[in-house]
């Protein structure tokens, strides 16, 4: 009988441990907004937690980074100082099999990744998951293309798998998947405006071709000859005008003949640039906000399901514990909840606060509502606790400590920094027009020394008021202290080398960066300290906080842009590599295209005359920079012209597609995110009646994109 009882106790203990492990995993799923629809047996849970551990995810992220970075080293490699066509030399190319070996190792890791994911969710869920099916298909296509590469000894012209690599980045981030789905949901809604924009472009193209026809007088043909010679040129000219890149160049030939022609171009820009394009931004924002709210609701439902699932699992524990399903009110013992919280991987601050709340319960049980309310703590931002201030026995020292701890000490310090910056600015303006031999460094030497002494005094005062630990607990103080030490060391070194400042004092300059110039440059760090004034002005602080939030929480949208850049760069290298011939008189000594004899004969505003030789698609790195220049859309008609001349007139479709993806869609989505973030911060700051529902929505937006 004793053996049977021991086996039963061991069975119940292992079952209880499984329930606790399941509850811990469900809570971790809730914290990370993951679905709880996966295997929950003991071995699968161990594999599941190992897969989502920091080490495993770090290895996977590193493999994704490596496989994406291979584009910089593969043929054509980007291993050169410059991409200028006039200065390009024979580049080192990796031997066949080197990058391919690294790539296949990463692909093996991805295969293991998709196998583990598929096993954990089961075959039925795998069939429903479009992302996992696409993951498997992309891997299969990559392996086949990799095999073809080796069979052809790395001499194939096109590698299809390069275009597929960004998918590995996309599928590994749930936030990027949400952003991509948001993009998918938004694009169909803006097709009406895009069609209206296309109709506007075609209509004005027809009018332009009727207005600017070929005439007998050659001097009156400049508008037709340059911009409206045929339908493709006319469409291109007005499309570029829609982005204002060629304004007012496109108008000048006709406007110089008759001022009435300006009405055509002004009307086109008013309707297209200022009405339709801004209407497009408004529609994208409206659709983005609606889908964002829906996406956040889905994420919150996942969190609620994870928390509720953990509670239900704990209620299935041994009947000897609280939480029997037969009871009217289902509860879980506090000891069980504490065991689960100890196993959950979360921030230590949140875990400690939850444990504290559980221990504070008066009854030895936790209801479903209390269990759910525990995890409201996840929405709260942790407040950093600072070390206590030192305690002085002397009344006089206590009063000094109170005085030096006042916020007006910081305000006075900011004022001194502003005065220091003004002095530096005055010195720079004065020295800009003065020859080096005639400069008088007396004023600069006295100013630098005086302010360095003040910063040292301020540092000592704050250490006295806050203590060493308290002073070092503030990042701003650490920056101020480091700046003070740097300035002090440089000032003492300058004093030893150059002596005391005096009228007519002009320190000798030795080398590229002398000690005196180093002192001047170090003073520029004061600018970053001056930026702290932003937090003292309410509206500026609101704008700055919105900006920093965007920078911190923009990984998903930045990832989408990285995917777009990567795909278009690989396609650009495949389409346009070596299409632009290098100038015949290119030499290492000639870099100034504006004075090159060849460029003096080129038509004004062309690729050759402007010296855009470094902007090309001859390697991956150069393609990325060229795409950036195109996204800014300044002078992007130059690229349309040169590649249509050297590659094909159909190349314009590539550049128009990039303009639509980057400047029209992604930039407008970015504007929508800025508006969403700023409007809610504004409401929370300036409207005290901000509802709890809106507050929870804003909190969820920040938490999701964080």
């Amino acid at each position: 009988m004793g053996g049977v009882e021991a086996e039963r106790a061991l069975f119940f203990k292992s079952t209880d441990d499984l329930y606790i492990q399941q509850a811990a995993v469900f809570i971790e799923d809730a914290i990370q907004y993951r679905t709880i629809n996966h295997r929950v047996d003991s071995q699968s849970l161990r594999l599941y937690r190992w897969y989502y551990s920091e080490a495993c995810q770090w290895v996977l992220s590193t493999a994704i980074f490596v496989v994406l970075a291979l584009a910089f080293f593969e043929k054509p490699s980007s291993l050169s100082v410059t991409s200028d066509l006039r200065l390009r030399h024979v580049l080192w190319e990796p031997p066949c099999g080197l990058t391919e070996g690294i790539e296949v190792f990463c692909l093996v890791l991805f295969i293991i990744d998709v196998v583990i994911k598929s096993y954990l969710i089961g075959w039925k869920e795998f069939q429903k998951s479009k992302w996992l099916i696409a993951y498997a298909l992309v891997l299969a296509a990559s392996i086949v293309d990799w095999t073809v590469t080796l069979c052809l000894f790395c001499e194939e012209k096109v590698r299809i798998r390069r275009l597929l690599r960004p998918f590995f980045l996309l599928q590994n981030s749930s936030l990027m998947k949400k952003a991509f789905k948001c993009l998918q949901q938004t694009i169909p809604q803006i097709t009406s405006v895009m069609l209206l924009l296309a109709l506007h472009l075609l209509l004005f193209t027809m009018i332009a071709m009727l207005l600017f026809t070929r005439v007998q007088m050659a001097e009156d043909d400049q508008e037709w000859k340059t911009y409206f010679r045929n339908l493709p040129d006319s469409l291109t000219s007005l499309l570029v005008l829609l982005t204002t890149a060629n304004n007012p160049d496109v108008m000048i030939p006709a406007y110089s003949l008759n001022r009435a022609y300006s009405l055509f171009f002004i009307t086109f820009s008013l309707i297209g640039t200022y009405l339709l394009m801004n209407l497009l931004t408004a529609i994208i924002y409206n659709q983005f906000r609606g889908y964002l709210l829906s996406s956040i609701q889905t994420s919150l439902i996942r969190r609620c399901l994870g928390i509720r699932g953990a509670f239900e699992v704990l209620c299935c524990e041994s009947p000897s514990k609280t939480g029997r399903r037969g009871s009217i009110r289902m509860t879980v013992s506090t000891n069980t909840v504490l065991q689960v919280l100890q196993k959950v991987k979360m921030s230590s601050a949140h875990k400690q606060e939850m444990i504290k709340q559980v221990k504070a319960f008066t009854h030895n049980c936790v209801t479903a509502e209390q269990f759910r309310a525990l995890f409201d703590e996840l929405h709260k931002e942790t407040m950093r606790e600072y070390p206590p201030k030192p305690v002085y026995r002397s009344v006089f020292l206590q009063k000094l400590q109170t005085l030096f701890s006042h916020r007006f000490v910081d305000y006075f310090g900011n004022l001194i920094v502003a005065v220091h910056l003004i002095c530096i600015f005055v010195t720079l303006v004065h020295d800009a027009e003065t020859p080096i031999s005639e400069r008088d460094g007396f004023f600069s030497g006295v100013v630098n020394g005086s302010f360095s002494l003040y910063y040292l005094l301020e540092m000592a005062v704050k250490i006295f008021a806050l203590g060493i630990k308290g002073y070092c607990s503030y990042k701003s103080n650490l920056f101020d202290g480091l700046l003070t030490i740097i300035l002090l060391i440089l000032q003492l070194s300058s004093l030893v080398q150059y002596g005391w400042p005096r009228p007519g004092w002009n320190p000798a300059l030795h080398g590229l960066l002398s000690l005196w110039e180093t002192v001047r440059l170090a003073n520029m760090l004061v600018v970053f300290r001056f930026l702290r004034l932003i937090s003292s002005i309410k509206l500026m602080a609101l704008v700055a906080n919105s900006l920093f939030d965007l920078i911190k929480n923009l990984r998903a949208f930045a990832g989408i842009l990285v995917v777009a850049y990567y795909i278009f760069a690989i396609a650009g290298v495949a389409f346009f590599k070596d299409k632009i011939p290098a100038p015949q008189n290119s030499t290492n000594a000639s870099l100034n295209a504006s004075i090159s004899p060849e460029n003096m004969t080129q038509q004004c505003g062309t690729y050759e005359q402007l010296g855009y030789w470094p902007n090309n698609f001859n390697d991956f790195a150069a393609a990325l920079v060229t795409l950036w220049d195109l996204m800014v859309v300044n002078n992007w008609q130059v690229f349309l012209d040169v590649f249509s001349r050297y590659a094909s007139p159909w190349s314009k479709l590539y550049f128009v597609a990039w303009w639509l993806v980057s400047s029209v869609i992604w930039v407008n989505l970015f504007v929508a995110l800025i508006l969403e973030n700023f409007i809610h911060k504004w409401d929370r700051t300036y409207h005290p009646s901000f509802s709890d529902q809106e507050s929870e929505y804003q909190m969820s937006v920040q938490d999701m994109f964080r």
Side-chain angles (χ1 to χ4, degrees):
M1 290 294 293
V4 174
E5 291 295 332
E7 289 180 1
R8 290 184 60 187
L10 182 62
F11 170 76
F12 283 123
K13 184 179 184 303
S14 62
T15 304
D16 291 348
D17 290 341
L18 176 61
Y19 289 148
I20 291 174
Q21 188 179 10
Q22 289 173 345
V25 170
F26 285 164
I27 291 173
E28 290 173 358
D29 290 338
I31 293 173
Q32 300 297 329
Y33 299 106
R34 296 194 297 254
T35 178
I36 62 173
N37 197 1
H38 53 78
R39 297 178 185 268
V40 292
D41 58 277
S42 180
Q43 292 182 351
S44 298
L45 288 178
R46 282 196 293 270
L47 177 62
Y48 186 84
R49 298 191 78 180
W50 171 82
Y51 175 77
Y52 284 106
S53 64
E54 291 185 2
C56 186
Q57 292 300 307
W58 181 86
V59 170
L60 185 59
S61 300
T62 303
I64 294 172
F65 173 79
V66 169
V67 80
L68 290 175
L70 287 176
F72 291 99
F73 305 96
E74 293 173 326
K75 184 179 180 179
S77 72
S78 303
L79 302 178
S80 63
V81 176
T82 177
S83 62
D84 196 310
L85 295 177
R86 298 164 297 179
L87 303 177
R88 296 278 287 187
H89 303 287
V90 178
L91 300 179
W92 175 83
E93 301 292 351
C96 183
L98 178 61
T99 57
E100 287 74 17
I102 298 173
E103 183 179 15
V104 75
F105 177 75
C106 296
L107 291 177
V108 169
L109 290 179
F110 297 150
I111 292 173
I112 296 173
D113 177 48
V114 72
V115 169
I116 292 176
K117 281 183 176 178
S118 304
Y119 168 77
L120 290 174
I121 66 173
W123 173 246
K124 291 184 179 180
E125 289 299 319
F126 174 81
Q127 291 177 308
K128 298 177 184 178
S129 176
K130 296 179 181 179
W131 283 102
L132 278 181
I133 293 174
Y135 194 7
L137 293 176
V138 167
L139 280 172
S142 299
I143 291 295
V144 171
D145 191 62
W146 179 86
T147 305
V148 171
T149 298
L150 290 187
C151 292
L152 296 178
F153 301 100
C154 307
E155 294 298 330
E156 81 284 13
K157 294 183 178 180
V158 179
R159 296 186 180 184
I160 302 298
R161 65 183 184 278
R162 289 183 179 178
L163 291 172
L164 302 177
R165 287 172 184 169
F167 181 84
F168 301 133
L169 175 65
L170 190 63
Q171 65 82 31
N172 192 54
S173 170
S174 59
L175 290 183
M176 285 185 62
K177 291 177 185 176
K178 288 181 181 293
F180 185 76
K181 193 173 182 180
C182 173
L183 195 62
Q184 284 183 313
Q185 297 286 337
T186 303
I187 289 176
Q189 305 300 326
I190 64 175
T191 52
S192 58
V193 181
M194 297 295 291
L195 291 174
L196 189 59
L197 197 61
L199 182 62
H200 164 74
L201 190 62
L202 288 172
L203 178 63
F204 273 83
T205 298
M206 294 174 61
I207 296 174
M209 294 182 70
L210 292 172
L211 280 177
F212 311 115
T213 58
R214 189 171 188 177
V215 295
Q216 294 180 354
M217 301 296 292
E219 60 271 14
D220 297 339
D221 272 348
Q222 291 302 316
E223 190 74 44
W224 170 83
K225 186 185 301 182
T226 309
Y227 300 106
F228 299 99
R229 180 184 290 270
N230 49 45
L231 180 61
D233 288 349
S234 302
L235 274 172
T236 302
S237 298
L238 291 183
L239 178 63
V240 174
L241 179 59
L242 193 66
T243 64
T244 70
N246 61 352
N247 186 67
D249 298 354
V250 69
M251 182 179 69
I252 292 301
Y255 181 57
S256 63
L257 295 176
N258 192 326
R259 67 177 73 240
Y261 282 122
S262 63
L263 296 177
F264 168 81
F265 298 98
I266 292 173
T267 304
F268 176 83
S269 296
L270 279 175
I271 297 175
T273 305
Y274 294 105
L275 292 180
L276 293 179
M277 293 299 288
N278 287 316
L279 179 62
L280 188 66
T281 301
I283 292 176
I284 288 178
Y285 169 67
N286 185 60
Q287 295 297 326
F288 166 81
R289 190 180 191 277
Y291 181 75
L292 179 62
L293 179 60
S294 174
S295 181
I296 289 171
Q297 289 173 345
T298 303
S299 297
L300 291 178
I301 288 173
R302 281 188 173 184
R303 173 166 285 189
C304 293
L305 283 175
I307 294 171
R308 183 66 186 187
F311 182 82
E312 292 288 336
V313 164
L314 294 177
C315 287
C316 293
E317 274 193 296
S318 172
S320 62
K321 297 194 176 182
T322 311
R324 295 183 295 272
R325 287 188 172 275
S327 59
I328 298 176
R329 190 178 185 185
M330 296 171 58
T331 60
V332 178
S333 68
T334 56
N335 290 333
T336 303
V337 175
L338 290 174
Q339 291 180 47
V340 172
L341 291 178
Q342 292 291 350
K343 286 183 173 292
V344 174
K345 296 177 181 178
M346 67 170 77
S347 67
S348 58
H350 288 147
K351 180 182 289 189
Q352 291 174 5
E353 183 62 28
M354 290 181 188
I355 292 175
K356 181 180 178 181
Q357 292 182 21
V358 172
K359 290 181 178 179
F361 289 152
T362 55
H363 303 286
N364 189 27
C365 59
V366 179
T367 64
E369 180 59 28
Q370 289 174 330
F371 189 80
R372 185 204 61 79
L374 277 177
F375 295 93
D376 289 341
E377 196 68 29
L378 296 173
H379 295 294
K380 300 177 183 178
E381 295 185 2
T382 57
M383 301 297 294
R384 184 177 180 180
E385 295 184 1
Y386 294 99
K389 297 179 181 179
V391 179
Y392 298 103
R393 295 182 180 180
S394 172
V395 177
F396 175 72
L397 293 179
Q398 291 175 2
K399 291 182 178 180
L400 282 180
Q401 184 183 31
T402 304
L403 176 64
F404 293 150
S405 300
H406 201 277
R407 64 179 183 275
F408 286 108
V409 174
D410 291 329
Y411 294 160
F412 182 75
N414 292 334
L415 177 62
I416 296 298
V417 172
V419 174
H420 190 184
L421 283 179
I422 293 173
C423 294
I424 293 173
F425 179 74
V426 170
T427 304
L428 292 175
V429 171
H430 178 267
D431 290 347
E433 301 296 334
T434 306
I436 296 177
S437 59
E438 299 178 7
R439 290 179 184 176
D440 189 350
F442 174 71
F443 178 76
S444 299
V446 172
V447 167
N448 291 337
S450 302
F451 282 104
S452 297
L453 289 176
Y454 170 78
Y455 296 145
L456 181 62
L457 176 63
E458 182 188 45
M459 180 179 176
V461 163
K462 287 186 176 181
I463 291 176
F464 167 78
L466 302 174
I468 292 292
K469 291 184 178 180
Y471 180 85
C472 296
S473 62
Y474 292 89
K475 294 180 180 179
S476 59
N477 287 340
L478 289 176
F479 177 79
D480 294 346
L482 180 62
L483 174 61
T484 301
I485 293 172
I486 292 174
L487 290 176
L488 191 62
I489 292 175
L490 290 174
Q491 289 297 328
L492 291 175
S493 302
S494 176
L495 185 64
V496 171
Q497 182 169 349
Y498 303 120
W500 289 96
R502 57 192 179 278
W505 185 59
N506 186 12
L509 304 180
H510 300 286
L512 178 64
L513 194 63
S514 66
L515 178 59
W516 176 243
E517 291 297 325
T518 306
V519 173
R520 290 162 58 90
L521 291 176
N523 278 321
M524 292 299 101
L525 296 175
V526 179
V527 175
F528 295 100
R529 176 172 174 171
F530 179 75
L531 293 177
R532 202 174 307 152
L533 286 174
I534 293 175
S535 60
S536 304
I537 304 173
K538 194 172 184 179
L539 182 57
M540 287 182 63
L542 178 63
V543 175
N545 287 335
S546 300
L547 178 63
F548 287 130
D549 280 344
L550 286 170
I551 293 174
K552 291 187 298 184
N553 307 328
L554 204 62
R555 288 179 299 171
F557 282 86
I560 294 293
L561 186 62
V562 167
V563 170
Y565 260 94
Y566 200 97
I567 293 175
F568 273 85
I570 292 294
V573 172
F575 294 151
F576 308 122
K577 180 181 179 297
D578 296 330
K579 293 297 183 182
I580 301 177
Q584 296 179 357
N585 63 337
S586 59
T587 60
N588 291 345
S590 177
L591 278 176
N592 192 345
S594 62
I595 62 175
S596 171
E598 178 178 320
N599 289 326
M600 292 296 290
T601 62
Q602 295 293 337
Q603 182 181 352
C604 182
T606 60
Y607 180 93
E608 295 84 357
Q609 187 272 331
L610 293 173
Y612 281 10
W613 302 107
N615 291 308
N616 52 68
F617 290 91
N618 287 358
D619 59 70
F620 184 73
L624 292 177
V625 177
T626 304
L627 289 176
W628 170 262
D629 293 337
L630 287 164
M631 190 176 78
V632 178
V633 300
N634 185 44
N635 274 355
W636 72 300
Q637 72 276 7
V638 175
F639 300 96
L640 291 174
D641 170 68
V642 70
F643 285 102
S644 64
R645 284 191 283 116
Y646 289 114
S648 168
W650 292 101
S651 63
K652 293 179 180 180
L653 296 177
Y654 170 87
F655 297 102
V656 172
W658 173 247
W659 170 69
L660 289 173
V661 170
S662 61
S663 297
V664 175
I665 296 177
W666 190 89
V667 170
N668 280 311
L669 279 176
F670 182 61
V671 171
L673 184 61
I674 291 177
L675 289 173
E676 184 72 2
N677 190 298
F678 181 78
I679 288 172
H680 282 279
K681 281 187 174 293
W682 180 277
D683 289 338
R684 288 170 63 87
T685 303
Y686 289 95
H687 297 283
S689 59
F690 198 66
S691 66
D692 293 337
Q693 182 179 2
E694 290 293 321
S695 177
E696 182 180 356
Y697 171 72
Q698 165 65 12
M699 175 179 58
S700 303
V701 169
Q702 294 301 313
D703 190 46
M704 173 179 151
F705 280 95
R706 184 171 293 114

